[in-house]
Amino acid sequence: MTTPMSEVMDAQAWVGATNPVLPGFHPDPSVCRVGEGADAWYYLVTSTFEYLPGLPVHRSRDLVNWELVGHVITDQLDFSRISDSDGLYAPTIRHDGERFFVVCKHVGGPAGGEGNFIVTAEDAAGPWSAPVWWRQATGGDPSLFLEDGRIWAHAARQTDRQDWSGQGEIWVREVDPLTLQLTGPESVVFTGAVIGAIWTEGPHLYRRGDFLHLIAAEGGTGRHHAVVAARGNVATERFEAGASNPVLTHRHLGSGSTVVNVGHADLVEAADGSWWATVLASRLVDGVDLLGRETFLVPVVWEDGAPIFAPGVGTLVPEPDTPVGPDGQPAVKVSEPDEPWVAVRRLPQEIADLGDESGLVLRAGGALDDPMPAFIGQRLLSPYTTVSLGLTPQPMGEVVEHGLALRQSGRQWLTVGMAADGDQPRGSVLVVTRCVDGIRDEVSRVAVAGPGSAVVEVRGRTAEIVWHTDRHREVVAVVDLAHLSTTVANGFVGVVAGAYAVGSGSVTIGPFAQRGR
């Protein structure tokens, strides 16, 4: 049953709910179906920006319960020059009956290694091919439309004409199925659904009935984000915007809404004939969106040849109606997928021996504000959660500091680390440090002895920093986490929590845990 609107504004109603179906930093979701009936699988890919491995691929039987099967990008691209919130933008996943395609834009790579590209795989788990670059393709957010053995690429960019500042357009061009290169003429098919709307992005084409439908986003990725729809007959001809645009947005709910930034939709027809959209959105607690943009599910119906998103409600809700699963019953959320380790601009295994659940060996290096920090982490999955990391004092050595970190960017982070104190063994003090807009601030410094766990108890905008041992629990600081908000940081990622080590040499850390999501 659809959740009443009175509950939509309550942040607690979204914790542990069906929506988001992929919690934590999983923006720009793209989805496709492979197979029919009870054998159908749904595959979903999301943006990862400066983190590796890149573009996680999840699969599901019911669009609600997802499992991670692999990553599209591992070692195919050069990330050494990627800035924060650059890297892999807005992928699209499609399947032609034999192979998977993913198209994406790589932002900030070296000459010859940036721009729009396409990769393929026979299995969604990989291995994925080396990228085929579309050197002539301007703009970003590329997508694919497959029909009758032909492949049509489309993407968004700013118009040359600029009838208003920020006006965007969508182009379409055919792809050679053998070489995967763009071929033939380019056609501009759309220049916005609403006069004055900015930053057209995230286009996708679908055939349904007599029409070819275009779904896109407008308004930017912030509070004015929205989904728009248009339709036509031929991929390369003009699409006419529908009268109901925007077809989904939360911009009209104001700053009091718990869920904001709604947009960037991709449609999929379920095996039971129903239609659904995956969209990105952000959850706010006390005005703070720590998790960045997450993946939500919304039902879609068709009326008069046009899509109606969230029929009867018009917004995202914590418990939407769900598709019928393989057992013929409505899908029920029973679990969250395991979170993989990720690292900044390199693969986690380049700096860590992940080992077993009891711990990992981390090779020390740069701090959190270094371009290549010695940090590996996992997405923060709830605005109400507890993150912990086991720490053990080490002999004096080359590792200056090690501990638990919450990273939004190289300029916005929080660390709880063991450090040396004078000539005493490292681990004699626990230091809590906030970095706000690139400026470090030591919040707390307390003496500790012996092993224990650094704990960050996240409660929306604030967190208690706790040193926990078998014998006692000590609150060492209470911090404001607003600087870790995606909106405040002005980036595209959410908080990633994990382990860091500054200096050289290696240190054993762990176990790491995230609870209460």
Side-chain angles (χ1 to χ4, degrees):
M1 180 178 294
T2 300
T3 303
M5 280 299 296
S6 60
E7 293 184 26
V8 174
M9 308 300 283
D10 181 5
Q12 290 286 356
W14 295 85
V15 178
T18 296
N19 260 335
V21 291
L22 272 185
F25 151 48
H26 288 102
D28 309 322
S30 175
V31 62
C32 70
R33 191 188 90 215
V34 179
E36 304 291 337
D39 294 326
W41 282 104
Y42 305 91
Y43 292 87
L44 187 142
V45 64
T46 52
S47 298
T48 44
F49 302 98
E50 73 264 33
Y51 285 100
L52 284 172
L55 308 184
V57 182
H58 290 82
R59 71 173 184 177
S60 172
R61 287 290 194 189
D62 56 18
L63 293 171
V64 173
N65 297 284
W66 295 90
E67 61 175 329
L68 180 70
V69 296
H71 289 81
V72 176
I73 299 299
T74 53
D75 59 356
Q76 303 103 308
L77 301 175
D78 184 350
F79 271 66
S80 61
R81 304 179 189 179
I82 298 300
S83 300
D84 291 343
S85 285
D86 277 353
L88 296 172
Y89 274 59
T92 296
I93 187 168
R94 296 292 184 259
H95 191 266
D96 69 355
E98 296 183 356
R99 57 180 172 170
F100 288 93
F101 301 90
V102 165
V103 289
C104 189
K105 184 171 185 178
H106 188 45
V107 178
E114 66 174 347
N116 296 293
F117 66 88
I118 182 170
V119 292
T120 63
E122 294 183 2
D123 188 327
W128 289 81
S129 70
V132 174
W133 295 97
W134 290 345
R135 302 298 181 196
Q136 303 160 314
T138 57
D141 292 15
S143 186
L144 297 174
F145 172 59
L146 313 178
E147 185 174 53
D148 298 330
R150 303 177 75 177
I151 305 173
W152 300 94
H154 40 292
R157 66 188 176 202
Q158 296 292 282
T159 65
D160 290 332
R161 178 175 172 175
Q162 291 289 285
D163 292 325
W164 57 84
S165 178
Q167 182 187 17
E169 66 184 17
I170 293 168
W171 58 261
V172 174
R173 193 172 176 189
E174 194 163 8
V175 178
D176 186 309
L178 296 179
T179 66
L180 300 181
Q181 290 287 0
L182 297 175
T183 184
E186 176 188 279
S187 302
V188 174
V189 300
F190 188 73
T191 53
V194 179
I195 293 176
I198 62 172
W199 300 110
T200 300
E201 60 185 67
H204 298 296
L205 292 174
Y206 318 86
R207 175 72 70 184
R208 184 182 185 277
D210 296 331
F211 295 103
L212 193 58
H213 295 270
L214 169 66
I215 297 295
E218 291 180 351
T221 58
R223 300 294 189 267
H224 297 288
H225 210 21
V227 180
V228 298
R231 72 185 188 188
N233 299 105
V234 180
T236 56
E237 296 182 358
R238 188 79 180 183
F239 284 77
E240 296 298 327
S244 299
N245 282 309
V247 293
L248 181 67
T249 186
H250 279 203
R251 63 172 65 152
H252 60 293
L253 299 180
S255 59
S257 178
T258 298
V259 177
V260 295
N261 308 339
V262 178
H264 207 107
D266 196 5
L267 298 182
V268 64
E269 183 179 11
D272 65 357
S274 60
W275 283 77
W276 302 84
T278 56
V279 301
L280 68 77
S282 304
R283 286 183 285 173
L284 290 179
V285 178
D286 297 328
V288 168
D289 52 339
L290 295 179
L291 310 184
R293 298 168 300 159
E294 307 173 273
T295 293
F296 289 71
L297 185 69
V298 58
V300 177
V301 298
W302 297 86
E303 293 183 4
D304 300 324
I308 306 295
F309 285 67
V313 180
T315 63
L316 301 181
V317 294
E319 299 291 349
D321 296 331
T322 56
V324 174
D327 60 358
Q329 300 299 314
V332 177
K333 194 170 189 179
V334 296
S335 65
E336 302 286 4
D338 292 334
E339 266 301 303
W341 289 107
V342 296
V344 181
R345 303 179 185 93
R346 52 184 167 174
L347 294 169
Q349 53 265 37
E350 294 181 35
I351 53 173
D353 299 324
L354 301 182
D356 56 28
E357 294 182 357
S358 62
L360 55 91
V361 177
L362 183 60
R363 288 177 282 284
L368 271 289
D369 48 9
D370 188 89
M372 298 292 261
F375 166 75
I376 65 169
Q378 300 176 6
R379 292 164 179 80
L380 198 69
L381 298 176
S382 172
Y384 302 94
T385 190
T386 297
V387 182
S388 64
L389 180 69
L391 300 177
T392 302
Q394 305 287 317
M396 290 294 292
E398 299 171 322
V399 179
V400 176
E401 182 177 317
H402 69 286
L404 176 64
L406 273 64
R407 179 188 187 271
Q408 165 61 235
S409 71
R411 294 172 54 82
Q412 315 280 5
W413 43 264
L414 172 74
T415 57
V416 185
M418 278 189 164
D421 186 11
D423 59 356
Q424 299 300 311
R426 186 177 67 254
S428 56
V429 295
L430 191 74
V431 181
V432 179
T433 306
R434 294 170 78 238
C435 184
V436 182
D437 297 333
I439 300 174
R440 298 188 185 199
D441 175 34
E442 185 176 299
V443 176
S444 176
R445 176 180 287 258
V446 298
V448 296
S453 293
V455 182
V456 179
E457 297 180 354
V458 179
R459 299 296 179 264
R461 182 175 179 139
T462 62
E464 283 191 346
I465 312 300
V466 177
W467 176 245
H468 193 281
T469 70
D470 291 339
R471 295 185 177 182
H472 77 287
R473 175 185 182 275
E474 179 182 359
V475 177
V476 299
V478 177
V479 297
D480 187 337
L481 300 178
H483 71 298
L484 300 182
S485 167
T486 300
T487 300
V488 172
N490 195 30
F492 296 132
V493 305
V495 170
V496 174
Y500 75 99
V502 180
S504 59
S506 299
V507 62
T508 300
I509 305 177
F512 172 83
Q514 183 174 179
R515 301 180 301 276
R517 51 181 163 145

